[in-house]
Amino acid sequence: MSRCKFAIFIDSMLFITMAAAMAMIFLYAPIESEMGIVQKIFYVHVPLAWNAFLGFAMVFYYSFRYLSTRNPRYDRRALSAAEVGVLFTTLVLITGPIWAKPVWGIWWTWDARLTLTLVLWLIYIGYLMLRRYIESPERRAVLAAVVGITGFIDVPLVYFAIRWWRTQHPQPVIAGGEGSGLDPAMAATLWVSVAAFTFLFLALFGRRLDVEVERSRRETERDAAEAAHAQGVRT
Amino acid sequence: MLQTARAVLEKDFRIELRTRDAISAALVFSILVLVVFNFALDVNTPEMRRLAAGFFWVAFAFAGTLALDRSFALEKESGAGRALALAPVDAGGIYLGKCAANAAFLFITQLVALPLFVIFFDVSIQRAGALAASFALGSIAFAAVGTLFSAVAANTRMRGLLLPILFLPLSVPALIASVETTSFALGNAEGPSFWFTLLVVYDVVFLTASVLVFEYVLEES
């Protein structure tokens, strides 16, 4: 089974890169001179954020594919990507304030990137909630795909709106971007960590997809059994 | 497509003229939110007066969900939605008709609520043209996304409860732009060109996207 081999490949890559990333974060990367040890959360926070965004882009892509092909496999992929994306966004929203409190002195600020992340999280929470309240699998897949597409179209508009809105108002705290003049050792650690979290994303996505495939298989079997039973009763 | 849109628009207007449900519910609700704001925050201070546009649009965003929710709950009630789905007409046209009706209801609600808003918050309208443009473009923006999601939410077990959850996060850019343009019309903000552009872009993007995907939403299970 190729899916099985692929899963083993992803899992082993995840194990290797995650071990390397953890070692580099705690043993190799230098301690940032101003922020101190808390800066190390950056190596977890940034890869999580990038992969969360990858997840939402995948929701958009698979939703589109579903509407054009009506193949339920794309709906299952969109759902799995959305769930892992929401999980990663939740972690981004948790790790961010843990870093911000000692560095900026506040847990939260309505900065463009923070606000965008929060709005994204709300959009995809809505996407997942919608799916729970529609009985028919086909209707659920179609309507979820519509939300998955419109939700992603909204992202650039939200971004520009919030960015412009912030530049007009006084900037509360931040001085200088995170990426400005990153130390080579820090950059190397970040890239290994990005690879590790991308494999983590793919591994979780694959596992979630397996569960969903199994669930829909049983659903089909149950429906077939029920139909056969109804047939038997009638004759 | 435009012929279908006109027929649906006329139908919704006739229903609204007879029942006055959507506009009266949205109007009473928006007044209630303005009154609640007054209790929650002391609004008669100069600082609060500068934020008046924000209060107005928040009241309106919530009140608007009532009117929008009714838009497709109405079709579900007597199976009219099935008839619409089965009708051999363009789904995009049905969407445009519904959306135009909703935008008009929202705009009328705003116009009726405006005098009360001016009295309650003691604001003065500096630029009437900008205010009209802000209300019109904002209403279209809310109606464009709201009509699509009203149809989506009407298909769920939760019905209306799901509409604000889906609709409010997506309307964030429209809300910010509407507040800023209204604020400009009240003489409390400068540089509105970016916000007017954003509102127009938002309207065009979501009207186009909704016309394209609406056939999937409408098809009957």
Side-chain angles (χ1 to χ4, degrees), chain B residues 13-52:
Chain B
F13 255 95
R14 201 171 305 140
I15 292 174
E16 187 59 28
L17 271 177
R18 286 182 190 162
T19 63
R20 294 185 194 83
D21 283 345
I23 293 178
S24 53
L27 185 64
V28 172
F29 190 81
S30 57
I31 295 168
L32 278 171
V33 174
L34 291 178
V35 171
V36 169
F37 264 135
N38 179 57
F39 292 134
L41 318 151
D42 188 9
V43 294
N44 275 335
T45 59
E47 301 88 64
M48 284 297 173
R49 233 163 270 151
R50 283 201 302 115
L51 303 174

Side-chain angles (χ1 to χ4, degrees), chain A residues 120-187:
Chain A
L120 267 181
W121 188 76
L122 288 168
I123 289 176
Y124 288 93
I125 289 282
Y127 172 88
L128 292 178
M129 279 186 78
L130 170 76
R131 302 189 63 106
R132 297 180 65 99
Y133 297 105
I134 307 171
E135 307 286 346
S136 146
E138 289 84 35
R139 291 303 290 157
R140 189 198 305 138
V142 168
L143 295 176
V146 166
V147 175
I149 289 171
T150 44
F152 197 71
I153 292 175
D154 200 40
V155 172
L157 292 167
V158 176
Y159 181 73
F160 283 115
I162 296 170
R163 231 185 105 172
W164 193 266
W165 177 63
R166 261 305 150 207
T167 48
Q168 281 198 328
H169 294 65
Q171 283 278 2
V173 265
I174 322 137
E178 289 168 332
S180 55
L182 203 62
D183 179 275
M186 288 180 168

Side-chain angles (χ1 to χ4, degrees), chain B residues 36-152:
Chain B
V36 169
F37 264 135
N38 179 57
F39 292 134
L41 318 151
D42 188 9
V43 294
N44 275 335
T45 59
E47 301 88 64
M48 284 297 173
R49 233 163 270 151
R50 283 201 302 115
L51 303 174
F55 293 133
F56 186 71
W57 278 98
V58 168
F60 198 68
F62 287 110
T65 58
L66 287 185
L68 291 165
D69 172 44
R70 196 182 140 64
S71 177
F72 276 93
L74 200 71
E75 305 291 354
K76 276 277 157 184
E77 257 169 32
S78 47
R82 182 171 297 235
L84 269 183
L86 291 175
V89 293
D90 190 38
I94 295 174
Y95 167 80
L96 279 182
K98 281 295 218 183
C99 178
N102 284 332
F105 298 159
L106 295 179
F107 188 67
I108 293 167
T109 311
Q110 285 183 319
L111 286 188
V112 181
L114 180 65
L116 281 168
F117 168 65
V118 169
I119 294 166
F120 284 171
F121 287 84
D122 190 25
V123 292
S124 60
I125 300 160
Q126 309 280 342
R127 304 173 178 93
L131 191 68
S134 168
F135 279 9
L137 290 171
S139 296
I140 294 171
F142 279 112
V145 180
T147 304
L148 179 69
F149 284 172
S150 166
V152 169

